[in-house]
Amino acid sequence: MVKKRSTLRPMLRRAIAPAALLIVGIFFGGYAIFGPNGALAYGDIERQLAVKQRELAMLDRNRTELKNRVELLDPRHADPDLVDELARKDLGVAHQDEVIVPLDK
């Protein structure tokens, strides 16, 4: 009796490495196309960038306004009109001869 060697087992052993590499390649290729930073997400990334740029522009304007107010309130040379406005607003004081007109917002 002659033992016949199965050809299936050596063939499977030779195919494991290429199959594993193929699976890994498909995974990374799919991630590069469909992933959060992939090719299909590019339009969404551009929209998010535009939103963030508008937010940055608004924050820059607010920062500029606040910087101006801080400079006007510098103790060495404070703007008297701004100091008077803030004191009246925060303390709720008014002169006797002033007329206060409430405005509905």
Side-chain angles (χ1 to χ4, degrees):
M1 287 191 149
V2 177
K3 286 188 177 179
K4 213 175 188 186
R5 264 193 142 185
S6 173
T7 59
L8 182 62
R9 190 168 283 198
M11 187 171 62
L12 287 177
R13 280 193 183 141
R14 285 191 308 259
I16 287 176
L21 289 174
L22 182 65
I23 290 170
V24 170
I26 289 172
F27 173 76
F28 283 115
Y31 196 78
I33 294 172
F34 301 110
N37 295 327
L40 296 180
Y42 185 71
D44 188 43
I45 291 171
E46 282 185 333
R47 282 190 295 280
Q48 289 176 0
L49 177 63
V51 168
K52 295 298 181 187
Q53 286 175 337
R54 285 192 298 270
E55 288 178 14
L56 178 63
M58 182 185 69
L59 289 173
D60 279 342
R61 283 192 303 273
N62 290 346
R63 181 181 171 272
T64 304
E65 291 172 9
L66 288 173
K67 184 178 177 185
N68 183 36
R69 288 183 69 87
V70 166
E71 289 173 0
L72 291 174
L73 289 173
D74 186 9
R76 293 175 296 216
H77 49 81
D79 182 40
D81 291 334
L82 183 60
V83 172
D84 185 52
E85 174 189 335
L86 290 175
R88 289 171 187 266
K89 184 177 100 180
D90 291 343
L91 300 176
V93 295
H95 289 293
Q96 292 177 355
D97 60 347
E98 289 182 337
V99 176
I100 298 174
V101 179
L103 300 174
D104 294 331
K105 291 185 179 181

